[in-house]
Amino acid sequence: MDAMGRPRTTPASTVPGRAHGQGPLTAAVASGTAELRPDRDRPHAWELLLDGAPQSLVDLADPTHLGFAYQRRIGHLIDLAAPARQPLTALHLGGGALTLARYTAATRPRSRQQVAEIDTELTDLVRTELPLDRGWQIKVRGGDARAVLERTPDDSTDLVVTDVFAGARVPAHCATTEFVRHAARALTGAGHYAANTTDGGALAFARAQAATLLAVFPEVCLIADPAVLRGKRFGNLVLLAAHTPLPLTDLTRRLATDPAQARLLHGRDLTDFTAGAAPVTDAAAVPSPAPPPRAFD
């Protein structure tokens, strides 16, 4: 810890894992082709892509760095979910390079975290090239996110983060009221839920996802880039939910300091956004739309 109580970054001479001098790495994993690309702006940071779609950004010297806008938005909820430095019990559905699990471990020491990642070959690659701190209590389970969620005991988790993608699409079975009810059941009374999704154009998928969460949780908000909300471009939308009031004032204040613009919709604004969309059930679920060509260029 530094004098301000913030986690210290790792000295450059002792940073573990893959070095930029080794160059990019491409490897076949169960879900496709994984690529690790050195970040040009940070000497120990790596971007993980799967079949060309960005999945994670990890800085091995500074696990508190969240390079993607959607991850910073979820990071704000992690910061506000409990008093600073207080450990959390967290369940991450979808692993990738474990960016948000690393962030939680660094900002909330002694947190107990479980990650569900179906691609064990990807997990092995990440553990080898982008290793975790040995002191972090992060357990990665190889399995389907929904199956892991369904086995999670009632009232056992302070935080559930859903960031599940098959390629560049949210799987249908992880975007339904039945799925969200399992998350609500697993959360403690004061727990928080966060879900990352992608959409564009008329935002039919995102509107239905907002309606789905509103059918389960009494408190829901949505955060996205204004251009995405206007249907001008394809991008990420983050949904947050809880059994108790969300920290909307503090969230709004933090979003205002981020490099990327964001709007927060809650209450009547969120109801208007759903535009009468119906909650999604298992029987009618579809995956999120595929990104348009060159969406990640």
Side-chain angles (χ1 to χ4, degrees):
M1 302 294 293
D2 64 16
M4 300 297 291
R6 298 169 298 200
R8 293 186 188 275
T9 58
T10 303
S13 60
T14 61
V15 174
R18 191 171 184 83
H20 276 200
Q22 295 175 266
L25 173 66
T26 300
V29 295
S31 53
T33 300
E35 182 181 2
L36 292 175
R37 290 183 186 172
D39 186 282
R40 288 179 289 184
D41 298 322
R42 301 178 73 89
H44 300 284
W46 293 86
E47 184 176 10
L48 169 67
L49 300 93
L50 278 176
D51 291 335
Q55 299 289 320
S56 304
L57 182 68
V58 168
D59 189 332
L60 295 174
D62 181 9
T64 68
H65 174 69
L66 299 176
F68 292 168
Y70 88 86
Q71 291 179 332
R72 287 194 296 273
R73 292 161 188 167
I74 297 175
H76 294 323
L77 178 68
I78 294 170
D79 291 343
L80 297 168
R85 310 288 294 172
Q86 178 176 307
L88 295 177
T89 301
L91 173 62
H92 301 266
L93 303 174
L98 311 173
T99 306
L100 288 169
R102 296 170 195 262
Y103 180 84
T104 304
T107 59
R108 296 185 175 278
R110 302 181 309 284
S111 290
R112 292 182 293 110
Q113 301 186 78
Q114 182 179 176
V115 180
E117 172 54 62
I118 197 168
D119 191 336
T120 56
E121 294 177 12
L122 176 61
T123 298
D124 289 343
L125 175 70
V126 168
R127 285 188 179 278
T128 299
E129 303 294 339
L130 311 176
L132 299 170
D133 187 300
R134 293 181 179 180
W136 293 341
Q137 299 180 59
I138 299 174
K139 180 178 181 181
V140 184
R141 286 192 175 186
D144 177 77
R146 177 153 172 179
V148 172
L149 177 62
E150 289 177 353
R151 293 195 299 269
T152 302
D154 294 3
D155 195 30
S156 63
T157 296
D158 300 313
L159 176 70
V160 175
V161 177
T162 300
D163 192 11
V164 184
F165 284 81
R169 306 179 73 180
V170 177
H173 72 297
C174 293
T176 69
T177 51
E178 291 88 344
F179 177 91
V180 174
R181 286 191 186 114
H182 281 296
R185 171 190 56 75
L187 285 172
T188 62
H192 292 82
Y193 178 77
N196 175 42
T197 190
T198 54
D199 203 356
L203 301 175
F205 185 84
R207 296 180 197 281
Q209 289 305 294
T212 299
L213 263 69
L214 285 166
V216 176
F217 284 101
E219 286 291 321
V220 180
C221 74
L222 180 146
I223 304 169
D225 185 299
V228 173
L229 289 173
R230 292 196 298 269
K232 299 297 184 182
R233 70 174 183 85
F234 189 91
N236 297 84
L237 303 97
V238 169
L239 284 155
L240 308 179
H243 299 297
T244 56
L246 291 162
L248 299 174
T249 301
D250 288 335
L251 275 171
T252 301
R253 184 180 300 116
R254 287 171 178 250
L255 291 169
T257 68
D258 281 347
Q261 281 190 312
R263 280 190 62 200
L264 185 153
L265 304 182
H266 176 261
R268 178 61 182 272
D269 289 339
L270 184 59
T271 301
D272 290 346
F273 172 80
T274 63
V280 180
T281 64
D282 281 346
V286 297
S288 66
R294 305 184 67 84
F296 305 121
D297 288 356

